[in-house]
Amino acid sequence: MPPASPSATAAAPDLATTRRLLNIVLAIGIVDLVLFIVLMYVAVVDRNDSLVSIIGPIHGIGFLALLGLTAKGAVDGRWGWWFPAITLITTGPPGSIIGDLILRKQLADHPQAA
């Protein structure tokens, strides 16, 4: 079997790193979405201000983490700036999960995805 070309081996870790970053974005997005749903319940239905003051900042940290990770991927050239923009506009989880699904489809269609 001939050795892999340098361009093929250079692209493989890049693709793997992109997938790893997407996995982190997806995990944080799902956790932050659950936190956001709990936060809305506690704020609107339960009206428990003490829980809101605890869950709210945790959701805020998750939101900032999502923005930071999606921006890092855009700066690294892994995806476009639309991903951090949609994450910002949708207050985090919805945009990050939608962007993740779009990018995973693109990665699956990538010629070196196998």
Side-chain angles (χ1 to χ4, degrees):
M1 200 166 161
S5 68
S7 62
T9 46
D14 208 36
L15 197 57
T17 304
T18 300
R19 285 193 175 135
R20 192 172 21 254
L21 186 57
L22 277 175
N23 288 340
I24 294 168
V25 168
L26 181 61
I28 292 174
I30 290 170
V31 169
D32 201 35
L33 179 61
V34 170
L35 277 172
F36 183 72
I37 291 168
V38 170
L39 178 64
M40 288 298 101
Y41 173 81
V42 169
V44 175
V45 177
D46 197 25
R47 298 188 185 267
N48 187 334
D49 290 337
S50 61
L51 277 178
V52 168
S53 66
I54 295 169
I55 298 171
I58 296 170
H59 163 67
I61 291 168
F63 172 68
L64 292 176
L66 286 172
L67 273 179
L69 289 170
T70 56
K72 179 186 179 344
V75 167
D76 293 347
R78 299 186 187 286
W79 47 71
W81 282 99
W82 62 268
F83 196 12
I86 195 172
T87 301
L88 175 67
I89 291 168
T90 62
T91 67
S96 70
I97 293 170
I98 291 168
D100 177 87
L101 294 174
I102 292 169
L103 288 168
R104 284 184 193 277
K105 169 101 173 74
Q106 291 175 357
L107 286 175
D109 295 342
H110 195 274
Q112 296 178 359

